Amino acid sequence: MATRIRLQRHGKKGKPFFHIVTADSRSKRDGRFIEKLGTYNPNTNPATIELDFERALHWVGTGAEMSDTARAILSYKGVLYKNHLVKGVAKGALTDEQVEERFTKWLSEKESKVSAKSDKLTKDADKAKADRLKAEAEVSAARAKEIEAKNTPEVEEAPAEEAPAEAATEEAPAEEAPAAEEPKAEEAPAEEPKAEEAPAAEEPKAEEAPAEEAPAEEEKKEAE
């Protein structure tokens, strides 16, 4: 029978979780399997892969077929590269020591790349969180200022605006008072002509008195 390494779907809707298995190629995707080799969780970043390396290498060495996703996973974990080196030993091109040395070097480089990617993702996540919190703080501060501007200034400025209006009403009568007093000061000289007319009326009397005395003197002379 043809053996195939493939994934069996588990988990819930929207969050799949896969088992890596070897099964008969004629079986259903989620049907019976021969051996479970590991798990694959694509919900994390980077994806979490747990694999029995030696058993996976065994099945690949015996000629098991692989689905596209299973092939990518085995290549990522170095199973295909190790199988390539083992074939080199079978051909006499490499020794076991050289195989282990090359594979160890490749594995260390792979782990450093994975760790660098994980660190970058962590830093990006922390930076995004910090930016989000900063933006939220700025929005909260802006809203607090708006609320304070709506509540505080309007209530305090209303009485301040009425005070100048009252002061203006108080100054208006003060300005009218001198205007009412000025006509009296101007009318006072109007009474002076009466004082000037009084001597004019008396003077004719003084002049008339001698006129009456003159006939009296003439009568006395005639009597003599």
Side-chain angles (χ1 to χ4, degrees):
M1 65 177 181
T3 306
R4 186 175 178 84
I5 301 174
R6 63 187 182 190
L7 304 181
Q8 279 189 346
R9 192 185 191 283
H10 295 273
K12 59 184 179 180
K13 184 177 181 180
K15 292 185 177 181
F17 183 84
F18 299 94
H19 291 177
I20 305 171
V21 299
T22 57
D24 188 349
S25 60
R26 296 168 295 181
S27 300
K28 295 182 180 179
R29 184 196 68 178
D30 300 331
R32 296 177 63 182
F33 59 89
I34 300 172
E35 183 180 359
K36 179 180 176 181
L37 302 178
T39 58
Y40 168 60
N41 182 12
N43 299 311
T44 60
N45 190 10
T48 303
I49 302 173
E50 295 180 1
L51 184 68
D52 186 343
F53 188 88
E54 295 300 330
R55 294 304 298 169
L57 181 62
H58 166 73
W59 285 106
V60 171
T62 57
E65 298 177 355
M66 293 168 281
S67 65
D68 293 339
T69 306
R71 182 183 294 276
I73 291 172
L74 296 180
S75 176
Y76 179 80
K77 299 299 287 185
V79 175
L80 300 184
Y81 182 66
K82 183 68 176 286
N83 183 61
H84 172 71
L85 295 176
V86 170
K87 287 181 179 180
V89 173
K91 294 179 181 179
L94 298 172
T95 61
D96 293 338
E97 291 79 10
Q98 290 175 335
V99 169
E100 292 300 328
E101 182 182 354
R102 291 188 181 186
F103 184 74
T104 302
K105 182 179 179 181
W106 177 89
L107 191 60
S108 62
E109 292 177 356
K110 185 71 174 181
E111 289 177 354
S112 63
K113 290 180 181 179
V114 172
S115 61
K117 182 179 179 181
S118 299
D119 294 340
K120 184 176 182 299
L121 292 174
T122 303
K123 290 180 181 179
D124 293 343
D126 293 341
K127 183 179 179 182
K129 183 178 180 180
D131 294 342
R132 184 173 65 255
L133 292 175
K134 183 179 179 181
E136 290 177 357
E138 291 177 355
V139 171
S140 299
R143 288 179 180 175
K145 289 182 180 179
E146 290 178 0
I147 292 171
E148 185 179 356
K150 288 180 180 179
N151 295 338
T152 306
E154 292 183 359
V155 176
E156 292 180 355
E157 288 179 0
E161 292 177 357
E162 292 178 0
E166 293 177 359
T169 55
E170 290 176 359
E171 290 176 0
E175 293 177 356
E176 292 176 359
E181 292 176 358
E182 288 177 0
K184 293 181 180 179
E186 293 177 359
E187 290 175 0
E191 295 177 357
E192 292 178 358
K194 294 180 181 180
E196 294 176 358
E197 290 175 1
E202 292 176 358
E203 288 176 0
K205 292 181 181 179
E207 293 176 357
E208 288 176 2
E212 291 178 356
E213 291 175 358
E217 292 176 356
E218 291 178 357
E219 290 178 358
K220 288 179 181 181
K221 289 180 180 181
E222 289 177 1
E224 292 177 356

